[in-house]
Amino acid sequence: MNQRVANRINSIVVSAYKFMGSVLLALIMLGLLSFLSVQGFFMVSRSWVTPTVMSPTDQEILTLNTQVAAQTSARDHVLAERRTVENRIADAERTITAERAFQQRFRVALHGERAARARVSRRLSELRREYGLAREEILTSNRAFSGLTRVRTDALYGARLLEQEDKLTINHHLAQLAQSNLSLAQSSVDLETRLESLNRELAGLAAVEGGLGKDSTPDGMTTDVLLLEREYTHSALELSRAEATLKSLREDLKALDDVALRYATLIASLRASPYLRAIEKDLTVAFVPYENLPQAGQGTPLYACSAKLFWCREVGVVGVVLEGEVSIKHPIRQYMLRGVMVEIQLSDSPAAREDLLHLGRPPMLL
């Protein structure tokens, strides 16, 4: 009796063990079949998307917003430097214009001064010639008059026809006549000195006018015209300095323009990211790999399925494609996918939490 009970229990245990083994094997086969089905689906299917809900508080959006703010601040700093460089360029251009105008007026004034001195020199030369002729006539007349007066005075005084006082008066007049002769001589010397000085100034002006901007030292230079030329030299140096500064500033401006353009391009690319669309409002989007994009036209129906592939229901439609490329991990395999984001309008809000949504129709028509 006991043996039959034991055998019965053993038979039940063996049957239960076989049943559990069969169940476990069926479950393993079902899991393997499900895994292979999912893997096979992703190998051949090009009609799925990965939904997500983005909000302004998402880490990726906050990071992008921080990058946009940083790049915008850097761009504004570059633009401020550009305005400073533009102001310096305008100042350099004003300096160049002023110095060129000064040098032009300097040459005109120098030419005019030289012409005026030449006219004065010619007049003085004519005056010296006329003065020399008149001086000789006056001196000859004075010498003749003085000699004759002295002879007559001595004769009259010796004949006692002339008083001592009258003789002294006549001698005084003769002394004044001699004084006038000395004055004529002094005036002649002054005129010669003035003419010589004027000729030296004229030669100096001619030397400066012919030697402006040259390294050689022309003949005829004087200290006065040398100091005059120094003003022109200072102007030439200031002009050269301003021109060199202007060239450097224009190169700096071009470099700043290039930097500002790069910042603008970078900011535009950051702003084009679909994540930043969620700064203003919550946005439901889906990631579409590039190979799935042809099936994700606007208005395409979206389906959510249980167990990823079975028992599907329509949950919404595809909206517009957002600009900018996005990279995320494959929902099943562990590698990165490149694609874009599209807006989706969901009639079933919980479907946004699904790992996958299917485009166009249910994958297994169930």
Side-chain angles (χ1 to χ4, degrees):
M1 184 68 177
N2 291 336
Q3 184 63 35
R4 286 199 303 270
V5 171
N7 291 335
R8 180 66 177 171
I9 292 174
N10 288 336
S11 177
I12 293 172
V13 170
V14 170
S15 297
Y17 178 79
K18 289 181 179 180
F19 175 77
M20 291 298 297
S22 298
V23 170
L24 289 175
L25 181 60
L27 291 175
I28 292 173
M29 293 299 294
L30 180 63
L32 180 60
L33 181 63
S34 174
F35 174 79
L36 292 176
S37 298
V38 171
Q39 294 295 325
F41 170 79
F42 280 107
M43 288 182 64
V44 299
S45 177
R46 295 292 181 268
S47 59
W48 57 270
V49 297
T50 302
T52 183
V53 177
M54 295 190 300
S55 68
T57 57
D58 287 346
Q59 184 61 39
E60 290 181 348
I61 295 175
L62 293 176
T63 301
L64 281 173
N65 198 26
T66 301
Q67 291 178 356
V68 169
Q71 299 303 325
T72 302
S73 176
R75 182 201 60 187
D76 292 342
H77 179 70
V78 170
L79 293 178
E81 289 185 0
R82 187 183 187 280
R83 288 191 293 270
T84 301
V85 171
E86 284 182 333
N87 292 334
R88 292 178 62 191
I89 286 176
D91 183 65
E93 288 175 343
R94 287 192 295 269
T95 300
I96 290 173
T97 301
E99 294 300 336
R100 284 177 176 170
F102 169 78
Q103 292 179 23
Q104 179 64 25
R105 291 194 294 269
F106 184 90
R107 291 179 181 274
V108 172
L110 192 64
H111 182 74
E113 185 70 18
R114 180 186 174 190
R117 298 290 177 88
R119 289 192 298 270
V120 173
S121 177
R122 287 194 297 271
R123 293 189 189 123
L124 284 178
S125 297
E126 294 174 0
L127 179 61
R128 181 185 62 176
R129 181 177 58 79
E130 294 175 358
Y131 186 84
L133 294 175
R135 176 172 172 271
E136 288 300 325
E137 292 178 359
I138 293 172
L139 289 177
T140 301
S141 177
N142 286 345
R143 281 195 296 270
F145 178 75
S146 297
L148 180 59
T149 301
R150 225 176 245 105
V151 170
R152 287 186 61 193
T153 299
D154 291 342
L156 291 174
Y157 183 75
R160 299 188 177 275
L161 295 176
L162 190 65
E163 297 293 334
Q164 179 70 26
E165 182 178 353
D166 294 333
K167 181 181 179 182
L168 292 176
T169 300
I170 292 172
N171 288 335
H172 177 69
H173 288 307
L174 293 175
Q176 288 180 341
L177 193 60
Q179 180 67 30
S180 69
N181 291 337
L182 292 176
S183 297
L184 287 173
Q186 183 178 359
S187 298
S188 179
V189 171
D190 291 341
L191 186 59
E192 291 288 344
T193 302
R194 173 60 181 157
L195 184 58
E196 181 182 356
S197 176
L198 190 61
N199 288 332
R200 290 185 68 251
E201 291 176 2
L202 187 60
L205 290 174
V208 169
E209 187 175 9
L212 287 178
K214 298 179 181 178
D215 295 333
S216 60
T217 303
D219 296 333
M221 294 291 290
T222 64
T223 55
D224 292 336
V225 295
L226 185 61
L227 294 175
L228 188 65
E229 186 186 30
R230 186 178 183 183
E231 295 299 324
Y232 181 89
T233 302
H234 284 168
S235 175
L237 291 174
E238 189 65 27
L239 176 61
S240 298
R241 188 180 300 112
E243 288 176 340
T245 301
L246 180 62
K247 180 180 178 182
S248 176
L249 289 174
R250 283 175 174 167
E251 293 176 354
D252 292 344
L253 185 64
K254 185 178 181 300
L256 289 173
D257 285 339
D258 293 340
V259 173
L261 179 60
R262 288 196 293 271
Y263 274 122
T265 304
L266 178 59
I267 292 171
S269 65
L270 290 174
R271 291 188 182 279
S273 172
Y275 291 112
L276 290 185
R277 294 282 301 277
I279 291 178
E280 299 178 357
K281 61 179 181 179
D282 288 346
L283 188 66
T284 303
V285 297
F287 171 76
V288 183
Y290 281 129
E291 56 266 27
N292 296 5
L293 192 58
Q295 285 74 38
Q298 188 173 356
T300 301
L302 292 170
Y303 291 86
C305 302
S306 301
K308 297 190 187 318
L309 301 177
F310 305 100
W311 301 287
C312 303
R313 67 191 185 281
E314 185 175 347
V315 294
V317 294
V318 176
V320 298
V321 177
L322 302 179
E323 295 181 0
E325 182 180 286
V326 179
S327 297
I328 66 172
K329 281 188 178 181
H330 193 283
I332 299 299
R333 300 164 183 162
Q334 298 301 311
Y335 62 85
M336 300 300 294
L337 286 174
R338 295 170 58 198
V340 295
M341 289 289 189
V342 297
E343 289 189 36
I344 56 175
Q345 289 85 42
L346 295 178
S347 57
D348 184 2
S349 298
R353 295 191 293 270
E354 294 285 339
D355 291 336
L356 294 176
L357 294 177
H358 301 277
L359 294 166
R361 61 183 180 82
M364 301 298 180
L365 295 179
L366 296 175

